[in-house]
Amino acid sequence: YANGRWYKEDGLGYEALTEVLVSRLLPKTSVRRFVEYQYEALQREDRVVHGCVSKDFMEPGDDKVVSVERLFQAYEGQSAAKAVLAYEEPIDKIRYVVRTVERATGLMDFGRYMREILTVDALFFNEDRHFHNIAVIRRKDGCYRECPVFDNGAALFSDVRGDYPLNMTEEECRNKIRAKPFSRDFDQQLDACELLFPAFPFR
């Protein structure tokens, strides 16, 4: 982080290009708030690396970004990833997390926000939606607001140095990929959200 901008270096493949592509496509949807990324060559000590940059999305009056993981540790006394293991079905896990976040923050529509995030992940095959990159923003007055959708770099099979080498076919990649954080299946997560929060008009 420097001068009001966040920088991210490619580590496993083409994460930066994925961040940029997803942020260019999201304006075509009804997602209301998301981080915009730009592709950029970054100076890393004595070498130039591929990466992306985004503006700081904090606004005047904001205090800090608080992940769902940190909320659970503060209000439930345990990790969110561990807490959801008490429930077997994705729909129960999602309901529990949404209710806990709403109780802790006073937000009234976190379910719609959760469905928005999981829809984006299903569209772009983002396998890395853990509880550290689902977040809210705490303001200095103690109120909370939703965090823009961010960190989509693991989407579109971008990990070509590990899980999805370039010699794998698209079908092989689709068969291998696994969702997070409520189910290993993208459709199961999204179906559960549609049952719980049917009013969200994603298009």
Short mmCIF file of all heavy atoms in Angstrom, two decimals, residues 108-145:
data_model
loop_
_atom_site.label_atom_id
_atom_site.label_comp_id
_atom_site.label_asym_id
_atom_site.label_seq_id
_atom_site.Cartn_x
_atom_site.Cartn_y
_atom_site.Cartn_z
N MET A 108 -28.76 -4.57 7.90
CA MET A 108 -30.05 -5.25 7.78
C MET A 108 -30.19 -6.07 6.51
O MET A 108 -31.16 -6.79 6.34
CB MET A 108 -31.17 -4.20 7.84
CG MET A 108 -31.18 -3.39 9.13
SD MET A 108 -31.30 -4.43 10.60
CE MET A 108 -32.94 -5.13 10.35
N ASP A 109 -29.24 -5.94 5.58
CA ASP A 109 -29.40 -6.60 4.28
C ASP A 109 -28.14 -7.34 3.87
O ASP A 109 -27.79 -7.39 2.70
CB ASP A 109 -29.76 -5.53 3.24
CG ASP A 109 -30.43 -6.12 2.00
OD1 ASP A 109 -30.92 -7.27 2.09
OD2 ASP A 109 -30.46 -5.44 0.97
N PHE A 110 -27.46 -7.94 4.85
CA PHE A 110 -26.21 -8.62 4.53
C PHE A 110 -26.44 -9.87 3.69
O PHE A 110 -25.55 -10.31 2.97
CB PHE A 110 -25.46 -8.98 5.81
CG PHE A 110 -24.03 -9.37 5.59
CD1 PHE A 110 -23.07 -8.41 5.29
CD2 PHE A 110 -23.64 -10.70 5.66
CE1 PHE A 110 -21.76 -8.76 5.07
CE2 PHE A 110 -22.32 -11.07 5.44
CZ PHE A 110 -21.38 -10.10 5.15
N GLY A 111 -27.64 -10.43 3.77
CA GLY A 111 -27.94 -11.60 2.94
C GLY A 111 -27.90 -11.29 1.46
O GLY A 111 -27.39 -12.09 0.67
N ARG A 112 -28.44 -10.13 1.08
CA ARG A 112 -28.36 -9.73 -0.32
C ARG A 112 -26.91 -9.56 -0.75
O ARG A 112 -26.51 -9.99 -1.84
CB ARG A 112 -29.10 -8.41 -0.52
CG ARG A 112 -29.01 -7.87 -1.95
CD ARG A 112 -29.12 -6.35 -1.99
NE ARG A 112 -28.19 -5.71 -1.09
CZ ARG A 112 -26.88 -5.55 -1.35
NH1 ARG A 112 -26.36 -6.03 -2.47
NH2 ARG A 112 -26.10 -4.95 -0.48
N TYR A 113 -26.10 -8.97 0.13
CA TYR A 113 -24.69 -8.78 -0.16
C TYR A 113 -23.97 -10.12 -0.31
O TYR A 113 -23.15 -10.30 -1.22
CB TYR A 113 -24.07 -7.96 0.96
CG TYR A 113 -22.59 -7.70 0.86
CD1 TYR A 113 -22.07 -6.89 -0.14
CD2 TYR A 113 -21.71 -8.26 1.78
CE1 TYR A 113 -20.71 -6.64 -0.22
CE2 TYR A 113 -20.35 -8.01 1.72
CZ TYR A 113 -19.86 -7.20 0.71
OH TYR A 113 -18.50 -6.96 0.64
N MET A 114 -24.30 -11.07 0.55
CA MET A 114 -23.69 -12.39 0.45
C MET A 114 -24.06 -13.07 -0.85
O MET A 114 -23.22 -13.68 -1.51
CB MET A 114 -24.13 -13.26 1.63
CG MET A 114 -23.46 -14.63 1.68
SD MET A 114 -21.68 -14.52 1.99
CE MET A 114 -21.69 -14.07 3.72
N ARG A 115 -25.32 -12.94 -1.24
CA ARG A 115 -25.72 -13.54 -2.51
C ARG A 115 -25.00 -12.88 -3.67
O ARG A 115 -24.60 -13.55 -4.63
CB ARG A 115 -27.23 -13.42 -2.68
CG ARG A 115 -27.70 -13.97 -4.02
CD ARG A 115 -29.19 -14.05 -4.15
NE ARG A 115 -29.56 -14.42 -5.51
CZ ARG A 115 -30.79 -14.66 -5.90
NH1 ARG A 115 -31.79 -14.58 -5.05
NH2 ARG A 115 -31.05 -14.99 -7.15
N GLU A 116 -24.81 -11.58 -3.59
CA GLU A 116 -24.09 -10.86 -4.63
C GLU A 116 -22.68 -11.42 -4.80
O GLU A 116 -22.22 -11.72 -5.91
CB GLU A 116 -24.05 -9.38 -4.26
CG GLU A 116 -23.48 -8.47 -5.31
CD GLU A 116 -23.67 -7.02 -4.91
OE1 GLU A 116 -22.79 -6.47 -4.23
OE2 GLU A 116 -24.71 -6.44 -5.27
N ILE A 117 -21.99 -11.60 -3.67
CA ILE A 117 -20.62 -12.11 -3.72
C ILE A 117 -20.58 -13.53 -4.28
O ILE A 117 -19.75 -13.84 -5.15
CB ILE A 117 -20.00 -12.08 -2.30
CG1 ILE A 117 -19.76 -10.65 -1.85
CG2 ILE A 117 -18.69 -12.87 -2.26
CD1 ILE A 117 -19.31 -10.54 -0.42
N LEU A 118 -21.46 -14.39 -3.80
CA LEU A 118 -21.44 -15.79 -4.25
C LEU A 118 -21.87 -15.92 -5.70
O LEU A 118 -21.45 -16.85 -6.40
CB LEU A 118 -22.32 -16.64 -3.33
CG LEU A 118 -21.84 -16.73 -1.88
CD1 LEU A 118 -22.77 -17.63 -1.07
CD2 LEU A 118 -20.40 -17.22 -1.80
N THR A 119 -22.69 -14.99 -6.19
CA THR A 119 -23.05 -14.99 -7.60
C THR A 119 -21.84 -14.63 -8.46
O THR A 119 -21.58 -15.27 -9.48
CB THR A 119 -24.20 -14.00 -7.87
OG1 THR A 119 -25.33 -14.38 -7.10
CG2 THR A 119 -24.58 -14.00 -9.34
N VAL A 120 -21.11 -13.62 -8.04
CA VAL A 120 -19.88 -13.24 -8.75
C VAL A 120 -18.91 -14.41 -8.78
O VAL A 120 -18.31 -14.73 -9.82
CB VAL A 120 -19.24 -12.01 -8.09
CG1 VAL A 120 -17.84 -11.74 -8.67
CG2 VAL A 120 -20.12 -10.78 -8.28
N ASP A 121 -18.75 -15.09 -7.64
CA ASP A 121 -17.82 -16.22 -7.58
C ASP A 121 -18.25 -17.34 -8.51
O ASP A 121 -17.41 -17.97 -9.17
CB ASP A 121 -17.73 -16.75 -6.15
CG ASP A 121 -17.02 -15.78 -5.21
OD1 ASP A 121 -16.36 -14.85 -5.72
OD2 ASP A 121 -17.13 -15.95 -3.99
N ALA A 122 -19.55 -17.61 -8.58
CA ALA A 122 -20.05 -18.68 -9.46
C ALA A 122 -19.86 -18.31 -10.93
O ALA A 122 -19.52 -19.17 -11.75
CB ALA A 122 -21.52 -18.96 -9.16
N LEU A 123 -20.07 -17.05 -11.26
CA LEU A 123 -19.91 -16.61 -12.65
C LEU A 123 -18.47 -16.73 -13.13
O LEU A 123 -18.22 -17.12 -14.27
CB LEU A 123 -20.36 -15.15 -12.79
CG LEU A 123 -21.86 -14.88 -12.87
CD1 LEU A 123 -22.12 -13.38 -12.82
CD2 LEU A 123 -22.44 -15.49 -14.14
N PHE A 124 -17.53 -16.42 -12.24
CA PHE A 124 -16.13 -16.34 -12.65
C PHE A 124 -15.26 -17.45 -12.07
O PHE A 124 -14.04 -17.41 -12.20
CB PHE A 124 -15.56 -14.97 -12.26
CG PHE A 124 -16.23 -13.82 -12.94
CD1 PHE A 124 -17.08 -12.98 -12.24
CD2 PHE A 124 -16.06 -13.60 -14.30
CE1 PHE A 124 -17.71 -11.92 -12.87
CE2 PHE A 124 -16.68 -12.54 -14.94
CZ PHE A 124 -17.52 -11.70 -14.23
N PHE A 125 -15.90 -18.44 -11.43
CA PHE A 125 -15.15 -19.58 -10.87
C PHE A 125 -14.06 -19.12 -9.90
O PHE A 125 -12.90 -19.52 -10.00
CB PHE A 125 -14.54 -20.44 -11.97
CG PHE A 125 -15.55 -21.09 -12.86
CD1 PHE A 125 -15.81 -20.57 -14.12
CD2 PHE A 125 -16.26 -22.21 -12.46
CE1 PHE A 125 -16.74 -21.17 -14.95
CE2 PHE A 125 -17.18 -22.80 -13.28
CZ PHE A 125 -17.44 -22.28 -14.53
N ASN A 126 -14.44 -18.28 -8.97
CA ASN A 126 -13.50 -17.84 -7.94
C ASN A 126 -13.51 -18.85 -6.80
O ASN A 126 -14.48 -18.96 -6.07
CB ASN A 126 -13.87 -16.46 -7.42
CG ASN A 126 -12.88 -15.96 -6.38
OD1 ASN A 126 -11.81 -16.52 -6.20
ND2 ASN A 126 -13.25 -14.91 -5.68
N GLU A 127 -12.40 -19.56 -6.63
CA GLU A 127 -12.33 -20.63 -5.64
C GLU A 127 -11.78 -20.17 -4.29
O GLU A 127 -11.61 -20.98 -3.39
CB GLU A 127 -11.43 -21.76 -6.17
CG GLU A 127 -9.97 -21.35 -6.35
CD GLU A 127 -9.09 -22.50 -6.80
OE1 GLU A 127 -9.59 -23.63 -6.90
OE2 GLU A 127 -7.90 -22.24 -7.04
N ASP A 128 -11.51 -18.88 -4.14
CA ASP A 128 -10.79 -18.43 -2.95
C ASP A 128 -11.58 -17.45 -2.10
O ASP A 128 -11.04 -16.53 -1.52
CB ASP A 128 -9.47 -17.78 -3.38
CG ASP A 128 -8.49 -17.64 -2.22
OD1 ASP A 128 -8.48 -18.53 -1.36
OD2 ASP A 128 -7.74 -16.65 -2.19
N ARG A 129 -12.91 -17.66 -1.99
CA ARG A 129 -13.75 -16.75 -1.20
C ARG A 129 -13.81 -17.25 0.25
O ARG A 129 -14.83 -17.72 0.72
CB ARG A 129 -15.15 -16.66 -1.79
CG ARG A 129 -16.02 -15.59 -1.12
CD ARG A 129 -15.48 -14.21 -1.31
NE ARG A 129 -15.50 -13.83 -2.71
CZ ARG A 129 -14.88 -12.77 -3.20
NH1 ARG A 129 -14.18 -11.99 -2.40
NH2 ARG A 129 -14.94 -12.50 -4.49
N HIS A 130 -12.69 -17.12 0.95
CA HIS A 130 -12.66 -17.48 2.36
C HIS A 130 -13.18 -16.32 3.19
O HIS A 130 -13.48 -15.23 2.68
CB HIS A 130 -11.24 -17.87 2.77
CG HIS A 130 -10.20 -16.89 2.31
ND1 HIS A 130 -10.02 -15.67 2.93
CD2 HIS A 130 -9.32 -16.94 1.28
CE1 HIS A 130 -9.05 -15.01 2.33
NE2 HIS A 130 -8.62 -15.75 1.31
N PHE A 131 -13.30 -16.52 4.49
CA PHE A 131 -13.93 -15.52 5.36
C PHE A 131 -13.04 -14.30 5.63
O PHE A 131 -13.49 -13.35 6.26
CB PHE A 131 -14.36 -16.16 6.67
CG PHE A 131 -15.53 -17.09 6.51
CD1 PHE A 131 -15.38 -18.46 6.71
CD2 PHE A 131 -16.77 -16.60 6.16
CE1 PHE A 131 -16.47 -19.31 6.57
CE2 PHE A 131 -17.86 -17.44 6.01
CZ PHE A 131 -17.70 -18.81 6.21
N HIS A 132 -11.81 -14.32 5.15
CA HIS A 132 -10.97 -13.14 5.28
C HIS A 132 -11.23 -12.13 4.17
O HIS A 132 -10.85 -10.96 4.31
CB HIS A 132 -9.48 -13.52 5.29
CG HIS A 132 -9.03 -14.17 6.57
ND1 HIS A 132 -8.82 -13.46 7.73
CD2 HIS A 132 -8.77 -15.47 6.86
CE1 HIS A 132 -8.42 -14.28 8.69
NE2 HIS A 132 -8.39 -15.51 8.19
N ASN A 133 -11.81 -12.54 3.05
CA ASN A 133 -12.09 -11.57 2.00
C ASN A 133 -13.60 -11.40 1.73
O ASN A 133 -14.02 -11.04 0.63
CB ASN A 133 -11.31 -11.85 0.71
CG ASN A 133 -11.59 -13.20 0.09
OD1 ASN A 133 -12.63 -13.79 0.34
ND2 ASN A 133 -10.68 -13.66 -0.74
N ILE A 134 -14.40 -11.68 2.77
CA ILE A 134 -15.76 -11.18 2.86
C ILE A 134 -15.73 -10.23 4.05
O ILE A 134 -15.37 -10.63 5.15
CB ILE A 134 -16.78 -12.31 3.11
CG1 ILE A 134 -16.68 -13.38 2.01
CG2 ILE A 134 -18.20 -11.74 3.17
CD1 ILE A 134 -17.54 -14.59 2.29
N ALA A 135 -16.07 -8.97 3.83
CA ALA A 135 -15.80 -8.00 4.88
C ALA A 135 -16.83 -6.87 4.91
O ALA A 135 -17.61 -6.69 3.97
CB ALA A 135 -14.40 -7.40 4.66
N VAL A 136 -16.81 -6.16 6.02
CA VAL A 136 -17.59 -4.93 6.19
C VAL A 136 -16.61 -3.83 6.59
O VAL A 136 -15.46 -4.09 6.93
CB VAL A 136 -18.68 -5.09 7.26
CG1 VAL A 136 -19.73 -6.10 6.81
CG2 VAL A 136 -18.08 -5.51 8.60
N ILE A 137 -17.09 -2.60 6.54
CA ILE A 137 -16.27 -1.46 6.94
C ILE A 137 -16.87 -0.81 8.18
O ILE A 137 -18.05 -0.45 8.18
CB ILE A 137 -16.16 -0.43 5.80
CG1 ILE A 137 -15.44 -1.06 4.61
CG2 ILE A 137 -15.44 0.83 6.28
CD1 ILE A 137 -15.42 -0.18 3.38
N ARG A 138 -16.07 -0.73 9.23
CA ARG A 138 -16.51 -0.04 10.43
C ARG A 138 -16.17 1.44 10.33
O ARG A 138 -15.04 1.81 9.98
CB ARG A 138 -15.83 -0.63 11.68
CG ARG A 138 -16.41 -0.08 12.98
CD ARG A 138 -15.77 -0.75 14.17
NE ARG A 138 -14.38 -0.35 14.32
CZ ARG A 138 -13.51 -0.98 15.11
NH1 ARG A 138 -13.87 -2.05 15.78
NH2 ARG A 138 -12.25 -0.54 15.20
N ARG A 139 -17.16 2.27 10.60
CA ARG A 139 -16.95 3.70 10.56
C ARG A 139 -16.56 4.23 11.94
O ARG A 139 -16.70 3.54 12.95
CB ARG A 139 -18.21 4.39 10.04
CG ARG A 139 -18.50 4.00 8.59
CD ARG A 139 -19.74 4.67 8.03
NE ARG A 139 -19.67 6.12 8.09
CZ ARG A 139 -18.98 6.88 7.23
NH1 ARG A 139 -18.29 6.32 6.26
NH2 ARG A 139 -19.00 8.19 7.34
N LYS A 140 -16.04 5.44 11.99
CA LYS A 140 -15.54 6.01 13.24
C LYS A 140 -16.66 6.23 14.24
O LYS A 140 -16.40 6.30 15.45
CB LYS A 140 -14.80 7.31 12.95
CG LYS A 140 -13.50 7.08 12.16
CD LYS A 140 -12.82 8.40 11.80
CE LYS A 140 -11.56 8.13 10.99
NZ LYS A 140 -10.89 9.39 10.55
N ASP A 141 -17.91 6.35 13.75
CA ASP A 141 -19.04 6.53 14.66
C ASP A 141 -19.57 5.20 15.20
O ASP A 141 -20.57 5.17 15.91
CB ASP A 141 -20.16 7.31 13.98
CG ASP A 141 -20.72 6.62 12.75
OD1 ASP A 141 -20.31 5.46 12.47
OD2 ASP A 141 -21.56 7.23 12.05
N GLY A 142 -18.91 4.08 14.83
CA GLY A 142 -19.31 2.77 15.30
C GLY A 142 -20.29 2.05 14.41
O GLY A 142 -20.58 0.87 14.64
N CYS A 143 -20.82 2.73 13.39
CA CYS A 143 -21.72 2.09 12.42
C CYS A 143 -20.90 1.31 11.40
O CYS A 143 -19.68 1.47 11.30
CB CYS A 143 -22.59 3.14 11.73
SG CYS A 143 -23.72 4.00 12.84
N TYR A 144 -21.59 0.48 10.63
CA TYR A 144 -20.93 -0.33 9.61
C TYR A 144 -21.57 -0.09 8.25
O TYR A 144 -22.74 0.29 8.15
CB TYR A 144 -21.05 -1.82 9.94
CG TYR A 144 -20.20 -2.27 11.10
CD1 TYR A 144 -20.64 -2.10 12.41
CD2 TYR A 144 -18.96 -2.87 10.89
CE1 TYR A 144 -19.87 -2.52 13.49
CE2 TYR A 144 -18.18 -3.31 11.96
CZ TYR A 144 -18.64 -3.13 13.25
OH TYR A 144 -17.88 -3.55 14.30
N ARG A 145 -20.78 -0.34 7.21
CA ARG A 145 -21.31 -0.36 5.84
C ARG A 145 -20.69 -1.53 5.10
O ARG A 145 -19.67 -2.09 5.53
CB ARG A 145 -21.03 0.96 5.12
CG ARG A 145 -19.56 1.26 4.82
CD ARG A 145 -19.42 2.60 4.11
NE ARG A 145 -18.04 2.91 3.76
CZ ARG A 145 -17.46 2.58 2.61
NH1 ARG A 145 -18.15 1.90 1.69
NH2 ARG A 145 -16.20 2.90 2.36
#
